[in-house]
Amino acid sequence: MQTQKLKNRWLIAASAVGIHISIGSVYAYSVMTNPVKDIFDVDGSVIKWAFKIAILLLGLSAAFLGKWVEKVGPKISGTTAGIFYGIGIIGSGLAVQLESLWLFYLCYGVIGGIGLGIGYITPVSTLVKWFPDRRGLATGMAIMGFGFAALIFGPVMQSLFDAVGVSNAFYILGLIYMALILASARYIEKPPEGYLPEGFRLGEGKTIKADISNIDANASLKTSRFYYIWIMMFINIACGIAIISAASPMMQEKLNYTPMEAAAIVGLIGVFNGLGRILWSSLSDYLGRANTYIVFFAFQILAFYFLPKIGVELTFLIVLFTVITMYGGGFATLPAFLGDLFGTKQLGAIHGMILTAWALAGVVGPTIYDVVKNTTGSLDKTLSVFAGLFVIAFIVSILMKRLVTKAYKKMDKELEIA
């Protein structure tokens, strides 16, 4: 019997990037806010609800459909993501044409949001299985695509709005996203059972560090490490999103930037968000995942506390951009860390459950920022609250480090006895 030819794992990674670049276009939402609000004749904050619903549905669908994604495999789930996200964007065009705000919420927020959630987790557990030797690098590449998507599709959106009108732009974008995701989903698949890359197979010398456990999603909920990583992600995302959502007015207040200059910094934030995803996740292969999060939180305690006090423009921007790399890096390092902690048995499902932290943090972070800032009128006090949250995250990351070290020591002892 002829054995099936093994697929190229780097092309699998490229397919994962194709899916994430398409769904990551949601980060360019601000580009469509003004053109869409003018058609509906409402305030921009009303239009932003579609984005909030989409992010909420991303977290919820990733959590509730994670087991299904693992069961059917990346080809079927990737195809489903492409259909949902594509129809969501095309339906948004119809909503604009009909001037139906509720249809816009349904199509962009609910249908598109479900496509986002399925598409986000689809390639991740597959990549971890193809790259047991470079988990951080592999998942970082895909999730970097999500971070960089706004840079690619933001200008494309604006050009289409100007050239063909808002509703037609949505139709074209929906077809582009659907085609790109479906094409990527056709190539992506799980590796054969027990797959190891060249140089790591029996007798070839190199070895891969064993995972702490290999358990399913239900079993992961009974471990303290699941809740540690959830709290760590919630705080990192809540604080990061708060800074991103308030970046433009903050630049204008602290550095006396014009709105146009502040907008340019917002564009650069997108760059550093993307760069942080590949940089930190790749570094985590060498630093260790728990150590990487400890670095994130130790730095951000100081950064958030001192940022309002920094008067030197260059220093302010360096600290701000470093914080943004850690926000992106937290997302990209997460799947590899979950693989280390829980194995690859139901990694997509566990990843989905952890992403509920994103759904909640996306609402909580900016709300805390707005409430504290409006109550105190002080950027200093506002960011001090977030510095305090990072102290909690730092303590939890130290507990996680202790737990991981203890687990590996126990495994080494068992190997010696065996």
Side-chain angles (χ1 to χ4, degrees):
M1 192 179 82
Q2 195 178 5
T3 55
Q4 193 183 358
K5 193 185 172 197
L6 199 65
K7 286 194 172 180
N8 184 315
R9 65 179 185 156
W10 293 103
L11 289 179
I12 296 277
S15 301
V17 173
I19 293 172
H20 269 243
I21 274 184
S22 304
I23 61 172
S25 59
V26 70
Y27 268 179
Y29 188 84
S30 59
V31 174
M32 64 178 77
T33 304
N34 284 340
V36 173
K37 84 175 172 67
D38 291 342
I39 285 170
F40 286 115
D41 194 24
V42 293
D43 190 69
S45 61
V46 175
I47 296 302
K48 280 178 191 168
W49 269 103
F51 174 77
K52 290 178 184 176
I53 294 165
I55 296 298
L56 178 67
L57 264 290
L58 186 163
L60 294 177
S61 58
F64 289 109
L65 296 172
K67 287 181 185 176
W68 175 81
V69 167
E70 287 289 352
K71 187 181 172 185
V72 300
K75 208 179 284 294
I76 292 173
S77 62
T79 302
T80 307
I83 292 167
F84 266 88
Y85 193 61
I87 287 174
I89 303 300
I90 292 166
S92 301
L94 180 64
V96 168
Q97 197 170 329
L98 298 175
E99 295 187 22
S100 168
L101 188 59
W102 290 108
L103 184 61
F104 187 74
Y105 287 160
L106 173 69
C107 291
Y108 194 95
V110 179
I111 299 171
I114 291 168
L116 279 173
I118 298 169
Y120 193 90
I121 60 173
T122 282
V124 170
S125 67
T126 304
L127 277 181
V128 168
K129 288 164 190 163
W130 276 103
F131 288 84
D133 53 328
R134 298 184 191 177
R135 282 179 173 174
L137 170 68
T139 56
M141 282 190 298
I143 293 172
M144 175 187 69
F146 195 90
F148 271 140
L151 284 174
I152 298 162
F153 281 111
V156 172
M157 276 180 198
Q158 193 58 60
S159 303
L160 284 171
F161 288 148
D162 295 340
V164 299
V166 179
S167 58
N168 287 334
F170 275 113
Y171 295 146
I172 293 166
L173 288 165
L175 290 170
I176 290 170
Y177 300 147
M178 194 186 287
L180 194 50
I181 297 171
L182 293 181
S184 300
R186 274 186 66 81
Y187 191 80
I188 199 166
E189 66 178 35
K190 291 179 185 176
E193 198 66 42
Y195 165 80
L196 286 171
E198 246 178 80
F200 289 87
R201 294 172 198 131
L202 204 60
E204 289 179 338
K206 294 181 185 175
T207 56
I208 290 163
K209 198 172 188 180
D211 299 327
I212 289 173
S213 61
N214 194 27
I215 56 179
D216 63 23
N218 288 342
S220 74
L221 288 169
K222 295 169 185 167
T223 66
S224 54
R225 54 188 183 272
F226 177 91
Y227 300 98
Y228 286 167
I229 193 75
W230 195 97
I231 293 165
M232 287 156 61
M233 288 305 299
F234 174 77
I235 292 173
N236 200 53
I237 297 166
C239 300
I241 282 184
I243 280 282
I244 289 169
S245 67
S248 179
M250 192 167 70
M251 296 290 111
Q252 292 171 58
E253 180 185 330
K254 271 301 296 175
L255 302 177
N256 297 318
Y257 277 12
T258 64
M260 188 56 77
E261 287 169 335
I265 296 298
V266 170
L268 280 174
I269 280 173
V271 175
F272 283 96
N273 185 356
L275 287 175
R277 290 166 190 250
I278 190 72
L279 170 73
W280 288 108
S281 59
S282 301
L283 275 175
S284 77
D285 286 334
Y286 303 97
L287 290 175
R289 248 65 81 173
N291 291 338
T292 303
Y293 281 95
I294 288 169
V295 170
F296 287 170
F297 302 138
F299 179 84
Q300 288 181 102
I301 290 168
L302 299 172
F304 274 73
Y305 184 76
F306 287 108
L307 197 63
K309 301 170 176 62
I310 298 170
V312 181
E313 181 185 13
L314 182 62
T315 310
F316 185 96
L317 292 176
I318 287 169
V319 172
L320 176 69
F321 290 146
T322 305
V323 164
I324 296 302
T325 68
M326 291 174 173
Y327 167 75
F331 280 112
T333 308
L334 174 64
F337 199 10
L338 293 177
D340 298 346
L341 295 172
F342 304 109
T344 57
K345 190 175 185 179
Q346 282 196 339
L347 180 58
I350 296 167
H351 188 209
M353 292 191 305
I354 294 290
L355 288 181
T356 55
W358 187 4
L360 191 60
V363 177
V364 172
T367 303
I368 290 174
Y369 184 97
D370 291 342
V371 168
V372 179
K373 183 78 166 62
N374 293 338
T375 306
T376 64
S378 163
L379 185 65
D380 206 322
K381 286 175 183 169
T382 306
L383 293 191
S384 292
V385 171
F386 290 108
L389 286 174
F390 275 121
V391 171
I392 297 168
F394 180 72
I395 292 165
V396 174
S397 68
I398 295 290
L399 293 172
M400 176 69 94
K401 170 70 177 173
R402 285 180 61 190
L403 188 151
V404 169
T405 306
K406 199 172 170 184
Y408 277 123
K409 277 182 182 170
K410 187 182 173 188
M411 284 166 63
D412 288 343
K413 203 171 279 183
E414 285 169 358
L415 278 172
E416 282 171 24
I417 294 165

